[in-house]
Amino acid sequence: MEPEAERLIEEFRMGRMPMLQFMRSMNEVKESGGCPGPDPLLGKAVVAGRARHTEGRDLMSIILEALGFEVIAAKRDTSIEDLVRMCEDEGVTALCLSIQTTYDIPDIRLADELMRESGIRDRIVFNAGGVAVSEKVAMDCGCDVYGSTAVDSAESIRDLVRSRSS
């Protein structure tokens, strides 16, 4: 990771930079060529928000991209079925769902169930986070990783993908 991106992530992690400023600054770093390209060992991450919750999707996308993933940010209101179909691409290694309300928690379980049915669950690192998701909820719904912050989640996803590829 480039030093400026690393500095911004640390500032955000420590609560010294508001989310919108962080996202704007990371986009500026990316646009100026200050982020390396995707790391082929990490592959692609499909990132989605539920119920029009695009801020969490966008935040995870920025962080995962800075960590070396090629990110596929799903369009707003993409169905869980379509997200799982996107994960059938052999290059996809992670699926991240950003949940804003408890009404969307069944989507986490459905994603896990559909990935198992399609036979791709073992190669996908699955994460769900957001206001409505606690560690217990994430684990009960079949997630592989949980982080109390977006940065913690993204780093856990990266670390698990790396460990599976070695």
Side-chain angles (χ1 to χ4, degrees):
M1 183 178 354
E2 294 297 314
E4 182 60 10
E6 192 170 340
R7 182 190 71 75
L8 290 169
I9 287 173
E10 192 56 30
E11 289 290 311
F12 179 66
R13 178 199 315 269
M14 300 304 294
R16 294 190 294 252
M17 182 178 291
M19 183 176 78
L20 292 178
Q21 181 183 349
F22 168 72
M23 292 171 68
R24 221 172 299 136
S25 297
M26 287 297 288
N27 280 326
E28 289 170 5
V29 168
K30 179 182 169 186
E31 289 170 9
S32 71
C35 285
D39 179 345
L41 294 176
L42 292 177
K44 302 174 191 173
V46 173
V47 183
R50 305 310 304 145
R52 300 181 180 262
H53 181 55
T54 58
E55 293 87 1
R57 174 202 64 194
D58 295 345
L59 178 62
M60 284 299 288
S61 294
I62 287 168
I63 297 168
L64 286 166
E65 198 167 55
L67 293 177
F69 283 89
E70 178 181 335
V71 172
I72 303 166
K75 292 183 179 177
R76 198 166 73 177
D77 296 327
T78 301
S79 71
I80 293 296
E81 292 81 2
D82 285 343
L83 291 172
V84 170
R85 276 191 282 281
M86 293 166 74
C87 292
E88 290 174 355
D89 173 340
E90 288 290 325
V92 174
T93 58
L95 172 61
C96 305
L97 299 179
S98 182
I99 305 296
Q100 189 172 24
T101 70
T102 55
Y103 293 111
D104 300 312
I105 289 175
D107 285 349
I108 305 170
R109 287 186 181 94
L110 179 59
D112 180 60
E113 178 185 319
L114 292 174
M115 284 189 291
R116 289 180 192 286
E117 287 175 6
S118 68
I120 62 171
R121 184 63 186 87
D122 289 341
R123 85 172 153 75
I124 302 292
V125 173
F126 185 37
N127 165 259
V131 173
V133 180
S134 65
E135 183 172 12
K136 180 176 179 6
V137 167
M139 296 303 117
D140 287 351
C141 291
C143 292
D144 296 304
V145 298
Y146 170 81
S148 59
T149 69
V151 174
D152 292 343
S153 292
E155 290 175 338
S156 295
I157 292 163
R158 177 201 57 202
D159 295 346
L160 186 54
V161 168
R162 278 186 179 159
S163 74
R164 287 182 176 181
S165 67
S166 54

